[in-house]
Amino acid sequence: MYKTMRHIFILFFMLFLCKLACTQEIKVRKGAKMILGSPFVNHAVLQQQKKIAVWGLANPNDVISAKLGGNQAKSSAQSDGYFRLYLPPMNASGPYTLTIQNQTTGETIQLDDILIGEVWICSGQSNMEWKFENIDQKQIDDFNQTNSASSSQVRFYQVPDMAWVSSTAENIGQFSAVAGWYGTKLHHTLGVPVGIIVSAWGGSRIESWIGTTEDANAESIIFAPKYIAEPDEQTVSQYAEVSTDGWIEMPVPGIWVGGKTKYADHGAVWFRIDLSLPEEWAGKDLVLMLPGVDKEDITYFNGRKIGKTGGNFSHKFYNKPRAYTIGAELVKTGLNKIAIRAYSWCFGGGFPGDAKDYMLVQKDDPSKIIPLAGDWKFSPEFGFDGYINNQAPDELYHYWLRPVMPYSARGFLWYQGCSNAPENEMYFEKTKTLLENWRSQWDDQTLPYYLVQLANTDKISDIPARGAGFAQIRDAQLRVLKKIQNTGLAVTIDIGETDNIHPKNKEDVANRLLLWALAKTYGKTVEYSGPIYREMKTEGSKIRILFDHAENGLMVGSKNGRQPVQKVKGGTLQQFAVAGTDRKWHWADALIDGQTVLVSSPEVEQPVAVRYAFDQNPDGCNLYNKAGLPASPFRTDDWK
């Protein structure tokens, strides 16, 4: 059984590390059930006005058909079992039933409550992943009020959850705040269903999201990862209730994978301890105390689930104490079985904390304790040799992006860069490669890519235009806007927090992404960008800066929380610096002159270059256009 489960896991999880094994699994498919790509489940939102890709696995050469709202399509599975078909474009509508049938075997899969609307794929690192539950309650309340009437029309799909969920107040805490705001505001503007797919991982580097040319074209490798959040009844029975004969022993507390210790691979591992309880413990409520499980667990007592902690590949639960109540009806005299299904995918995996904190306690009399530290039995459910490394090239492309590729979508939203700082030209080249890679996989070189320029954060410096850290990434992101077609740049240099790399104001991030989409993708007449540096002209001891998106004029502005930007009458521009031929930077005087800015310094008689807000945290930068959108940080030089 372990080998079978391992093969299934390899098929769904280990596309990058086990390509050959995956291919072998698919090639020998005979008499197997049809499997759909992971986004194809009930309540899905499909992209309107584009052909709709549907894919999966069947037996080699099987004929597969799909029907949706009176439309239908047909295709044959390849020799490896992979199939992909395309339903014709449809306008926003629904709900529908999507029916996929294997016409060779007669097997049918029916998906209900399918909507046709706008789909956006949101990716990046922690600021894209950042959930509503991690921001201020006022913003959550405002979102729920805005979204209440349309929650059934705005749906989210998060890798690796593998489910489409409506944006109700009960659900929204677990969803990306940026993506959530974007989705509901897009729905209110267009009046059509919206589907938001989030595939993001905190701390990830951009190269982890880029697929290699070879693997990008390997259609036989189509599923990754399949996150088994809850084992089925048969699996629970197999590990939580049956004999542990042949299982391996391991001390608890202890590490089962990590460092120099390796009892098993990363993956899901079941731990068991069988206790003989005295008669006086029978029929009493108990509490199972665990100081931690690295990284997540589902715990059972006599085959019944008593608790679960963690999920969604979150790191934050590894050392969180567990206290699971065991109902009196489960507790009997004699043999009782505690089973813990631990799951780990990176770093160490095991049971942290002190031995004395592992115990079984009578709920009504905490003085009665049974220590649980010592040798436990364990057996892997499935495992893999290695772990998901969000820093490694190619890794998240396989594990996090492939599950939704090439799900028909309108475009991409991207919020990443912190982990690549202080790269500049290299980051631009990586972004260029990523876009070529993704657009190729979606077979559409025009797909929009709207990215968030990194916000201000960290310590404030008095050194003019020093170009530290995020300044280099922002410069590369600005270059993406200027040099790569169908891209947009949501500038957030005015909404960051000095001591927080995850600014809580996600609504304005979404607003500024939305403006790009409304103007460039949906053809709405709105100002969608703040001032973007175009060119400079030297005028004696001054330099004149010319901008795009300044046609209606410039202003000194002030941003306070989520409130609209306010014009500061008589205000002075901040964070401009100027340098002469000696390349030494000095703080500059900057004056708005219509659609331009005049920059000078008494310390620089012959200026040759200007920088604006060119630092990790350019505190006080305040140049806006009359639409209340901030200017992007920029530099006129290319000095190293």
Side-chain angles (χ1 to χ4, degrees), residues 73-146:
K74 184 185 296 185
S75 182
S76 296
Q78 300 172 170
S79 60
D80 58 9
Y82 175 85
F83 68 85
R84 185 193 299 176
L85 54 81
Y86 290 94
L87 287 158
M90 299 173 64
N91 290 324
S93 52
Y96 294 105
T97 295
L98 172 61
T99 303
I100 299 94
Q101 184 179 47
N102 186 327
Q103 295 188 349
T104 303
T105 67
E107 181 186 4
T108 299
I109 297 175
Q110 179 175 299
L111 307 180
D112 296 321
D113 189 30
I114 305 299
L115 300 179
I116 311 297
E118 289 297 308
V119 177
W120 285 83
I121 295 171
C122 306
S123 189
Q125 57 182 108
S126 54
N127 270 305
M128 180 60 83
E129 186 182 33
W130 210 248
K131 296 177 172 58
F132 274 99
E133 67 179 6
N134 296 322
I135 63 177
D136 57 284
Q137 187 60 46
K138 177 64 166 61
Q139 195 172 166
I140 296 173
D141 293 341
D142 289 346
F143 174 86
N144 287 329
Q145 183 176 0
T146 302

Side-chain angles (χ1 to χ4, degrees), residues 1-11 13-14 18 25 228 234-235 238-239 242 245-248 256-257 262-270 341-344 378-386:
M1 180 64 182
Y2 167 63
K3 289 184 178 179
T4 301
M5 293 304 296
R6 182 180 178 87
H7 287 169
I8 294 173
F9 177 76
I10 288 172
L11 174 62
F13 281 79
M14 296 309 300
C18 302
E25 277 296 306
I228 304 176
Q234 180 180 352
T235 302
Q238 176 187 351
Y239 290 99
V242 301
D245 291 346
W247 288 31
I248 306 169
W256 53 274
V257 59
K262 186 174 180 181
Y263 285 88
D265 294 331
H266 284 287
V269 178
W270 288 80
R341 181 187 188 261
Y343 184 69
S344 178
F378 81 90
S379 180
E381 177 185 334
F382 58 76
F384 57 94
D385 185 12

Side-chain angles (χ1 to χ4, degrees), residues 359-522:
M359 66 184 84
L360 194 63
V361 180
Q362 287 193 16
K363 186 174 183 180
D364 295 333
D365 188 357
S367 66
K368 294 184 178 180
I369 296 171
I370 295 178
L372 297 179
D375 288 335
W376 286 47
K377 296 286 189 73
F378 81 90
S379 180
E381 177 185 334
F382 58 76
F384 57 94
D385 185 12
Y387 59 88
I388 301 173
N389 183 352
N390 65 356
Q391 303 285 300
D394 216 39
E395 194 95 339
L396 292 179
Y397 171 84
H398 284 280
Y399 291 133
W400 246 233
L401 195 63
R402 288 304 290 266
V404 297
M405 182 188 298
Y407 197 85
S408 300
R410 185 64 71 188
F412 308 113
L413 304 181
W414 177 259
Y415 195 168
Q416 191 273 342
C418 302
S419 292
N420 284 85
E423 294 176 359
N424 192 317
E425 184 61 31
M426 184 180 296
Y427 188 80
F428 169 77
E429 292 297 333
K430 290 175 181 177
T431 302
K432 183 179 178 182
T433 301
L434 178 141
L435 263 176
E436 291 171 349
N437 184 206
W438 288 16
R439 286 171 171 171
S440 174
Q441 289 306 298
W442 265 266
D443 194 25
D444 186 351
Q445 291 300 317
T446 67
L447 276 175
Y449 174 86
Y450 301 140
L451 66 151
V452 181
Q453 192 182 55
L454 295 185
N456 53 307
T457 190
D458 211 349
K459 296 179 181 179
I460 299 168
S461 172
D462 292 330
I463 302 173
R466 64 178 182 151
F470 289 1
Q472 301 297 327
I473 290 288
R474 294 185 198 112
D475 194 44
Q477 292 172 325
L478 178 60
R479 200 174 307 120
V480 169
L481 170 67
K482 291 184 174 185
K483 293 190 175 184
I484 302 179
Q485 67 166 347
N486 292 347
T487 59
L489 185 69
V491 177
T492 64
I493 198 65
D494 58 338
I495 63 173
E497 301 173 20
T498 299
D499 58 351
N500 187 2
I501 202 171
H502 303 115
K504 290 184 172 61
N505 180 1
K506 302 304 187 189
E507 182 181 11
D508 276 310
V509 178
N511 287 343
R512 293 171 185 179
L513 285 168
L514 181 64
L515 288 173
W516 278 93
L518 293 179
K520 306 301 285 185
T521 301
Y522 299 107

Side-chain angles (χ1 to χ4, degrees), residues 566-640:
Q566 299 296 315
K567 180 178 180 179
V568 180
K569 294 182 179 180
T572 302
L573 290 176
Q574 305 291 325
Q575 288 292 332
F576 276 86
V578 65
T581 55
D582 61 359
R583 299 190 176 187
K584 293 182 179 180
W585 293 99
H586 302 270
W587 289 121
D589 299 319
L591 299 174
I592 293 173
D593 184 17
Q595 301 173 6
T596 68
V597 173
L598 277 172
V599 183
S600 63
S601 169
E603 299 178 84
V604 183
E605 293 183 2
Q606 295 180 317
V608 298
V610 170
R611 291 180 176 181
Y612 169 69
F614 204 69
D615 200 1
Q616 175 95 351
N617 188 0
D619 183 56
C621 59
N622 55 2
L623 176 61
Y624 294 81
N625 61 17
K626 291 295 181 65
L629 295 172
S632 169
F634 68 88
R635 62 175 179 170
T636 66
D637 65 283
D638 59 0
W639 304 337
K640 300 300 183 183

Side-chain angles (χ1 to χ4, degrees), residues 119-378:
V119 177
W120 285 83
I121 295 171
C122 306
S123 189
Q125 57 182 108
S126 54
N127 270 305
M128 180 60 83
E129 186 182 33
W130 210 248
K131 296 177 172 58
F132 274 99
E133 67 179 6
N134 296 322
I135 63 177
D136 57 284
Q137 187 60 46
K138 177 64 166 61
Q139 195 172 166
I140 296 173
D141 293 341
D142 289 346
F143 174 86
N144 287 329
Q145 183 176 0
T146 302
N147 189 60
S148 59
S150 56
S151 60
S152 66
Q153 296 290 296
V154 181
R155 301 177 181 180
F156 295 92
Y157 179 95
Q158 294 191 141
V159 177
D161 292 1
M162 309 308 182
W164 284 93
V165 182
S166 296
S167 57
T168 62
E170 293 75 20
N171 294 331
I172 198 61
Q174 294 300 310
F175 295 122
S176 161
V178 168
W181 275 117
Y182 180 89
T184 193
K185 293 193 175 195
L186 182 63
H187 168 71
H188 279 281
T189 304
L190 301 182
V192 302
V194 172
I196 297 293
I197 295 174
V198 178
S199 177
W201 189 312
S204 58
R205 294 176 62 87
I206 190 172
E207 50 265 43
S208 193
W209 296 97
I210 302 170
T212 66
T213 302
E214 176 186 358
D215 293 328
N217 295 324
E219 286 195 327
S220 62
I221 304 173
I222 62 170
F223 295 107
K226 180 71 173 179
Y227 177 63
I228 304 176
E230 295 275 352
D232 58 28
E233 291 183 7
Q234 180 180 352
T235 302
V236 172
S237 176
Q238 176 187 351
Y239 290 99
E241 300 179 70
V242 301
S243 170
T244 57
D245 291 346
W247 288 31
I248 306 169
E249 286 190 346
M250 192 197 91
V252 173
I255 296 174
W256 53 274
V257 59
K260 296 180 180 179
T261 305
K262 186 174 180 181
Y263 285 88
D265 294 331
H266 284 287
V269 178
W270 288 80
F271 290 84
R272 276 271 300 276
I273 186 168
D274 295 350
L275 304 172
S276 181
L277 296 181
E279 185 176 352
E280 57 269 24
W281 281 61
K284 294 184 182 295
D285 290 332
L286 307 179
V287 179
L288 175 62
M289 309 292 290
L290 306 170
V293 179
D294 189 354
K295 315 242 166 342
E296 59 187 71
D297 73 283
I298 307 174
T299 297
Y300 302 81
F301 190 87
N302 287 334
R304 291 274 296 276
K305 179 180 173 181
I306 59 171
K308 176 182 178 180
T309 302
N312 302 329
F313 288 84
S314 173
H315 294 267
K316 65 184 181 181
F317 299 106
Y318 78 97
N319 62 350
K320 180 180 179 180
R322 280 78 158 155
Y324 296 144
T325 298
I326 302 167
E329 71 280 3
L330 298 179
V331 184
K332 58 187 180 181
T333 302
L335 183 64
N336 291 263
K337 302 172 182 178
I338 298 173
I340 299 174
R341 181 187 188 261
Y343 184 69
S344 178
W345 60 93
C346 63
F347 309 120
F351 294 86
D354 294 332
K356 62 181 177 57
D357 295 324
Y358 287 84
M359 66 184 84
L360 194 63
V361 180
Q362 287 193 16
K363 186 174 183 180
D364 295 333
D365 188 357
S367 66
K368 294 184 178 180
I369 296 171
I370 295 178
L372 297 179
D375 288 335
W376 286 47
K377 296 286 189 73
F378 81 90

